[in-house]
Amino acid sequence: MIPRTPRFFACIANAALIAAVFASGCAVNPVTGEKQLSLISVQQELRLGQQQYPINQQQQGGQYTIDPHLQDYVNKVGQKLARASDQPQLPYAFVVLNNAVPNAWALPGGKIAINRGLLVLLEDEAELAAVLSHEIVHAAARHSATALSQQQVLGAGLAALGAATKDTAYADLISTGSQLGGSAYIARYGRSNELQSDKYGMQYMAAAGYDPQGAVRLQRKFVALSKGRQANGLDALFASHPPSQFRVSANIEHSQSLPTGGVTNRDAYQKAIAQLKRDAAAYKHYDQALQAAGKQQYDSALRLVRKAQQQQPKEATFFALEGDLLAQKKQYAKAHKAYDRAVQKNPTLFSHWLKRGVASAALKDYVSAERDLSRSLRYLDTAYAHYYLGEIYEQQGNPQTAYKHYQTAATAGGEIGSKAQARMQALASKT
């Protein structure tokens, strides 16, 4: 039995406070009209989505650039569905990411992305519409705001509970539990949110003129894949959008109340993804090169990635991997040339500038290294860029600026944070 100490009664008071927050922080779901928890205003949601959208894109491979027409096509389908939604006034945006993982996600405010790895699994435009309309509902129904609000309340509650149970047998358990949870921006939704997005997404599909059976086929396909050998490659999708026979049955039931005769546009879809299909062998060689590199078989990985380059010479990622492999072999001049080609083919991805900057530093070309590392920070602020900028400024005899960059890198924690801490201590000992 837990002793009825003052700390125990503090826990009860905090629980009551959390309940009060839930009661006072209710908002109306714009899609269903039901009440749901929201401690975030619509304006805050819009700002959050706007700020995080480019960051999340950079972290997940950047935009797919080989075929700009595919970006236009997906955006056109997405905007058509958005106009049929319950929140057509949101600033919706749709992008295709250069990422092989089959996944799609939505940020607050209607900022939506789909990976090329998912596009090649779909058969027609109706299935694409099913994916995009599902994500539109997550944004329109403010599911991310609810998930973030729940995390905020849970975090506050656990912090209060942790303080109340300090120096008791329960303290370690509480602090461990408070560390659990997913991203506040790309949420993992509960079953009710997923079913809600399926249901209203099908309504948006029908309103936009698509065959809602596309959503039934999509869920059937995901259930089959989850049971087959391809499941490992779909972990990210299944983690955030778990398939089930129940969802298939629910979609069949929803479809019975919707108009029939909507379009599938299979030919248009197949034409839109034709370049991705033509490049399938190149991306397969790239994936095999990554596997070989993971086993430290660098020569084999180089042969594979160079095959990929020959098959699709426009793909910057292939040249970036070549640079990584050459850098592992300490062939920094050749690595720099490979990174240079990656920058030329896609100058909008932070990692290409970062890696070329690191290669320049290894070649003791500190002017070029400083330029490239600083350029990478324009796209994505990373601890790695700050750490290597610290090294460059230290080499150039500017310890004060070096210390500031190390200080920023140290906040990231992990191995790079520890290295930055060590350099800060070394500089401090010299003063």
Side-chain angles (χ1 to χ4, degrees):
M1 179 181 293
I2 300 175
R4 303 300 178 91
T5 64
R7 288 194 178 98
F8 171 80
F9 290 106
C11 291
I12 299 298
N14 285 318
L17 175 61
I18 292 171
V21 171
F22 270 94
S24 63
C26 283
V28 175
N29 183 316
V31 175
T32 67
E34 300 171 352
K35 288 185 177 181
Q36 63 187 22
L37 176 67
S38 182
L39 303 178
I40 302 170
S41 70
V42 173
Q43 290 74 22
Q44 288 174 315
E45 269 192 276
L46 293 174
R47 284 197 298 271
L48 183 62
Q50 191 70 33
Q51 292 167 358
Q52 293 297 318
Y53 199 38
I55 293 173
N56 278 277
Q57 290 180 50
Q58 287 286 326
Q59 291 173 333
Q60 298 181 58
Q63 292 190 23
Y64 172 72
T65 60
I66 300 299
D67 182 7
H69 296 296
L70 181 59
Q71 293 282 356
D72 294 338
Y73 173 80
V74 170
N75 183 63
K76 183 178 179 180
V77 173
Q79 296 296 345
K80 183 178 180 180
L81 292 160
R83 289 192 294 271
S85 74
D86 292 284
Q87 292 279 281
Q89 77 283 3
L90 289 178
Y92 290 99
F94 302 85
V95 296
V96 179
L97 297 185
N98 192 20
N99 192 315
V101 176
N103 204 7
W105 47 261
L107 289 179
K111 305 304 184 187
I112 293 167
I114 182 169
N115 293 351
R116 61 171 170 81
L118 180 53
L119 289 175
V120 295
L121 294 179
L122 308 180
E123 293 296 328
D124 55 45
E125 195 172 303
E127 290 184 9
L128 172 63
V131 173
L132 298 182
S133 62
H134 181 99
E135 300 301 334
I136 287 170
V137 178
H138 281 317
R142 304 189 66 200
H143 287 163
S144 294
T146 299
L148 181 55
S149 298
Q150 289 171 341
Q151 289 178 19
Q152 288 179 339
V153 172
L154 183 61
L158 287 168
L161 187 58
T165 57
K166 188 178 180 182
D167 300 325
T168 73
Y170 307 98
D172 289 342
L173 180 61
I174 296 298
S175 62
T176 300
S178 67
Q179 296 169 16
L180 302 178
S183 168
Y185 308 119
I186 301 178
R188 291 189 177 187
Y189 306 108
R191 172 171 161 153
S192 62
N193 285 167
E194 288 297 281
L195 291 172
Q196 194 176 98
S197 290
D198 285 347
K199 175 182 178 180
Y200 289 95
M202 291 177 71
Q203 292 183 14
Y204 298 169
M205 288 176 66
Y210 289 107
D211 178 8
Q213 290 295 324
V216 176
R217 294 196 303 276
L218 181 70
Q219 284 303 317
R220 280 179 170 155
K221 179 177 295 183
F222 288 163
V223 169
L225 289 170
S226 70
K227 296 177 180 178
R229 295 181 179 179
Q230 298 184 57
N232 289 337
L234 295 163
D235 286 347
L237 177 65
F238 293 163
S240 56
H241 303 285
S244 68
Q245 187 58 45
F246 182 84
R247 287 180 68 181
V248 174
S249 299
N251 283 3
I252 292 173
E253 183 178 348
H254 296 326
S255 69
Q256 293 172 356
S257 63
L258 296 173
T260 59
V263 300
T264 61
N265 287 347
R266 188 181 192 282
D267 290 345
Y269 183 79
Q270 290 298 320
K271 182 179 179 180
I273 66 167
Q275 187 64 57
L276 284 178
K277 288 196 166 184
R278 285 193 293 269
D279 292 338
Y283 286 116
K284 183 177 181 179
H285 282 131
Y286 172 76
D287 292 339
Q288 291 172 340
L290 286 174
Q291 293 172 4
K295 299 175 184 177
Q296 298 184 345
Q297 299 170 354
Y298 300 126
D299 289 336
S300 176
L302 275 169
R303 287 193 294 271
L304 286 164
V305 80
R306 284 168 177 162
K307 282 185 180 179
Q309 292 171 0
Q310 292 170 0
Q311 291 166 316
Q312 179 44 273
K314 295 181 181 179
E315 178 54 81
T317 306
F318 298 164
F319 294 90
L321 178 56
E322 180 187 20
D324 295 343
L325 297 167
L326 292 167
Q328 284 287 344
K329 293 163 68 70
K330 301 189 185 303
Q331 298 178 17
Y332 297 115
K334 292 182 178 179
H336 188 280
K337 290 181 180 179
Y339 291 139
D340 188 55
R341 296 185 73 179
V343 168
Q344 291 172 9
K345 293 174 187 299
N346 184 0
T348 66
L349 192 63
F350 85 98
S351 57
H352 297 161
W353 296 98
L354 173 62
K355 291 175 179 180
R356 193 174 75 172
V358 173
S360 292
L363 295 169
K364 301 188 185 304
D365 182 357
Y366 298 124
V367 173
S368 295
E370 179 186 358
R371 178 198 63 211
D372 283 357
L373 291 168
S374 298
R375 182 69 176 268
S376 79
L377 290 172
R378 298 184 197 176
Y379 296 102
L380 187 65
D381 197 302
T382 64
Y384 289 92
H386 284 291
Y387 177 81
Y388 287 111
L389 280 168
E391 281 194 337
I392 289 167
Y393 285 117
E394 194 175 351
Q395 289 287 340
Q396 292 177 327
N398 188 345
Q400 290 182 333
T401 304
Y403 190 91
K404 290 180 181 178
H405 282 287
Y406 287 140
Q407 195 171 34
T408 301
T411 62
E415 183 180 354
I416 198 71
S418 298
K419 290 174 68 174
Q421 286 277 9
R423 293 311 310 153
M424 288 167 62
Q425 292 172 5
L427 286 175
S429 67
K430 295 179 182 178
T431 59

